């Protein structure tokens, strides 16, 4: 929890320039072991052979952390005077022993293999916006890689010998001891396997004594009160049986609070006059339908609950909701206001290097002319950086270009090797286009956050991490068609004085399907791609159920296994 709070505090200032204030360290140091590395103020002073000043610099750290403070030494075999030199490491060990501070050995790892050192230099140059020849860069010597235990034991022995240590194994033993002390238990310390949703008293206006039982009772009440409005006669009995089966699963998993939270968000969006609809496997849940989360009737369409939620897997199900794209960020604001900044964060997304970005950053670092870099980057298709060399060889338009000829001659070998080495590496942390996390008040104790360019707090965990952490991840997708529909309804009312209740209107209007059969469906959500327009022309849909079949056919599985052709033959 303290580490999460410290990382969040470091990123709460200027975006892209994380730093910790001493006040933040004082506020969130509980349970943390502090390592003063060669990059710390005491470490730099010792490297510069100023031990008396290091004494003063370490005092506030000792006062705050007490016995949970240690010095970390690193040896990258740099020249004497460098903070990562053998002499600096030995000097730090001697000083730490004199001052009764424990010492551990670390390699300050920056890359996986020794050969990756040039890649670290390229990334540094890109981050600082300087060429590789700049004096602002401290070029890697290849030692900051993930060394084996044997290699690190040898480094520790060299440092101990240079420091005049009698016990050559003490550095390794102390390092192992610290590592074992700091090891986390995923279930106890991170809450893996548990689920965390906003507290029930956030959703109701009375004190809550038994959250799980009261949430289940409230969910039962809301579903039962909605059932008679949607079903009657024989349908009512079938719906009662289906509801009881789903509620048994929800009670078994303890997920009642999850459904109530999502329903609260959907109700809130509707109250703002924004169009909203659920998509995906959540439409197979009768509970979702009765709560108003999904407008699709799973009874009528024979949809299965188990694809959405099953007692065989205890992880929060995924509900995606579509809102008007023009008002998506407005809905983000409402969610933050409703549940509070301590319970809500957006999901982060790691943008990684593809070929065009890699070409630009490597070219800039190597000092190539800007116009030349730009022309080369634009000549590549949108492919992964690892395919740069093969693209120059295989694509005729690139092979015959100046760059293609230079590559064939071997002139661009170093450049292309560096471009390909950036493939898949992180370039930028961005806001996920739709993911919003909702949790209880422990959210910021279990995920570090930083501020996005748009000003939203976003978890540093990606969409897969947050699911493992048991957070409620709600995908609030902005759909342009929803905005177009809302605009059309407003214009009809403005120009004709007619209020169209779209959600209760029949979906089988003959004129609409006549228009769809012309294949003039550009701008129509899910049936506008070239492949879909071709399929619709051959399919000739007449009812809404035909569109369901059409969209189901246009998926990777049916297309690759050629299910489309036999279906169309039978259809016609």
């Amino acid at each position: 929890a303290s580490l999460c709070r410290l990382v969040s505090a470091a990123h709460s200032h200027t975006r892209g320039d994380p730093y910790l204030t001493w006040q933040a360290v004082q506020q969130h140091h509980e349970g943390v072991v502090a390592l003063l590395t060669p990059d710390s103020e005491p470490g730099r002073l010792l490297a510069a052979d100023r031990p008396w000043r290091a004494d003063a610099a370490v005092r506030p750290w000792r006062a705050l952390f007490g016995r949970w403070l240690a010095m970390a030494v690193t040896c990258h075999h740099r020249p004497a005077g460098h903070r990562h030199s053998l002499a600096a490491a030995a000097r730090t060990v001697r000083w730490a022993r004199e001052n009764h501070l424990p010492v551990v050995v670390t390699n300050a790892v920056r890359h996986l293999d020794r050969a990756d050192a040039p890649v670290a230099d390229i990334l540094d140059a890109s981050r600082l916006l300087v060429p590789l020849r700049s004096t602002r860069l401290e070029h890697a010597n290849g030692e900051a890689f993930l060394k084996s235990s044997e290699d690190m034991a040898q480094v520790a022995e060299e440092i101990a010998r240079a420091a005049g240590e009698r016990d050559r194994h003490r550095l390794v033993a102390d390092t192992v001891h610290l590592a074992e002390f700091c090891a986390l238990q995923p279930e106890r310390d991170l809450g893996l396997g548990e689920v965390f949703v906003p507290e029930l008293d956030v959703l109701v206006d009375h004190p809550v004594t038994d959250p799980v039982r009261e949430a289940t009772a409230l969910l039962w009440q809301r579903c039962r009160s909605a059932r008679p409005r949607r079903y009657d006669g024989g349908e009512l009995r079938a719906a009662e049986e289906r509801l009881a089966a789903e509620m048994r699963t929800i009670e078994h998993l303890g997920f009642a609070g999850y459904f109530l939270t999502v329903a609260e968000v959907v109700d809130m969006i509707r109250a703002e006059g924004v169009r909203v609809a659920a998509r995906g496997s959540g439409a197979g849940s009768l509970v979702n339908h009765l709560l108003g989360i999904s407008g699709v009737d799973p009874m009528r369409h024979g949809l299965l609950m188990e694809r959405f939620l099953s007692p065989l897997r205890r992880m929060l199900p995924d509900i995606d909701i579509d809102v008007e794209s023009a008002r998506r960020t407005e809905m983000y604001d409402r969610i933050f206001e409703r549940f509070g900044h301590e319970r809500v964060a957006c999901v982060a997304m790691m943008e990684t290097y593809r070929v065009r970005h890699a070409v630009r950053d490597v070219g800039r670092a190597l000092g190539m002319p800007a116009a030349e870099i730009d022309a080369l980057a634009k000549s590549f298709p949108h492919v992964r950086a690892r395919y740069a060399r093969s693209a120059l060889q295989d694509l005729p338009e690139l092979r015959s270009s100046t760059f293609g000829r230079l590559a064939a001659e071997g002139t661009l070998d170093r450049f292309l090797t560096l471009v390909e080495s950036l493939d898949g590496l992180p370039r930028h942390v961005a806001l996920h286009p739709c993911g919003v996390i909702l949790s209880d008040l422990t959210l910021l104790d279990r995920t570090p956050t930083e501020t996005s360019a748009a000003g939203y707090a976003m978890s540093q965990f990606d969409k897969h991490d947050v699911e493992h952490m048991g957070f409620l991840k709600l995908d609030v997708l902005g759909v342009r068609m929803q905005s177009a529909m809302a605009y059309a309804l407003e214009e009809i009312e403005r120009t004709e004085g007619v209020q169209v209740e779209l959600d209760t209107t029949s979906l089988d209007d003959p004129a609409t399907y006549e228009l769809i059969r012309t294949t003039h469906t550009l701008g129509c959500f899910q049936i506008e791609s070239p492949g879909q327009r071709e399929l619709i022309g051959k399919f000739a849909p007449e009812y809404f159920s035909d569109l369901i079949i059409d969209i189901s056919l246009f998926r990777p599985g049916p297309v690759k296994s050629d299910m489309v052709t036999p279906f169309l033959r039978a259809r016609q």
Side-chain angles (χ1 to χ4, degrees), residues 126-142:
S126 175
R127 175 171 51 84
L128 297 172
L129 299 177
V130 296
L132 282 174
R133 61 178 178 273
S134 171
T135 56
R136 291 179 61 193
L137 284 182
E138 183 179 87
H139 289 278
N141 67 349

Side-chain angles (χ1 to χ4, degrees), residues 273-487:
V274 176
R275 293 193 57 78
V276 57
R279 71 157 78 185
S281 61
S285 167
L286 179 61
V287 169
N288 278 342
H289 185 54
L290 294 175
L291 290 174
I293 296 171
S294 169
V296 178
D297 184 350
M299 304 287 291
R300 186 165 300 148
H301 295 285
L303 302 179
L304 298 176
M305 161 78 162
E306 285 73 18
R307 180 167 169 256
F308 168 66
L309 187 65
S310 167
L312 300 179
R313 59 181 188 275
R314 193 173 190 270
M315 55 187 302
L316 287 173
D318 194 19
I319 296 179
D320 301 340
I321 56 175
D322 295 343
V323 300
E324 300 169 30
S325 60
R327 301 184 66 181
R328 177 176 64 89
T329 55
E330 182 186 337
M331 295 304 99
Y332 278 16
D333 295 336
R334 289 291 294 113
I335 293 172
F336 273 95
E337 290 170 13
R338 176 67 182 84
F339 293 94
H341 288 259
E342 290 286 316
R343 296 183 182 88
V344 184
C346 294
V347 180
M349 179 179 67
M350 191 64 69
E351 292 185 357
T352 57
Y353 273 98
R354 294 177 70 81
V355 70
R356 291 189 175 187
H357 278 146
V359 165
R360 285 192 168 95
D361 283 1
V362 172
R364 191 182 299 114
L366 294 178
M368 295 169 63
E372 193 175 308
I373 299 170
D374 189 59
L376 177 56
K378 288 180 178 177
S379 67
F380 278 97
H382 294 283
V383 296
R384 297 193 60 159
R386 69 173 66 171
Y387 301 132
R389 203 183 304 264
S390 59
L392 285 169
Q393 294 171 353
D394 300 339
L395 298 178
E397 64 273 23
L398 288 179
R399 189 169 58 242
S400 60
S401 69
T402 303
F403 303 114
R405 289 194 292 272
L406 290 172
E409 294 168 2
T411 309
L412 296 180
D413 278 354
R414 181 186 177 221
F415 172 81
L416 292 174
T417 298
L418 289 172
V419 167
E420 290 173 341
S421 67
L422 294 183
D423 180 73
L425 290 177
R427 185 174 189 270
H428 178 62
V429 179
L431 189 70
H432 191 274
C434 57
V436 178
I437 300 170
L438 292 105
S439 181
D440 57 16
L441 283 174
T442 67
L443 173 68
L444 300 182
D445 289 335
R446 292 182 296 109
T447 174
T449 61
E450 64 179 278
T451 305
S452 73
Y456 293 105
M458 60 181 183
S459 166
Q460 291 190 341
F461 295 155
D462 68 16
K463 62 180 182 179
H464 303 295
D465 297 332
V466 298
E467 291 175 0
H468 290 306
M469 291 295 292
F471 296 140
L472 190 168
K473 181 177 76 71
L474 186 64
D475 285 339
V476 182
L477 298 102
V479 176
R480 285 177 293 175
M481 178 52 67
Q482 289 280 25
S483 290
M485 291 160 67
Y487 175 76

Side-chain angles (χ1 to χ4, degrees), residues 6 22 25-26 28-36 59-70:
L6 284 169
W22 184 247
V25 176
Q26 290 175 307
H28 303 299
H29 73 280
E30 185 180 354
V32 172
V33 177
L35 296 182
L36 296 177
R59 281 192 199 109
W61 292 95
R62 296 194 81 154
L64 186 62
F65 286 92
R67 58 192 293 256
W68 309 120
L69 178 70

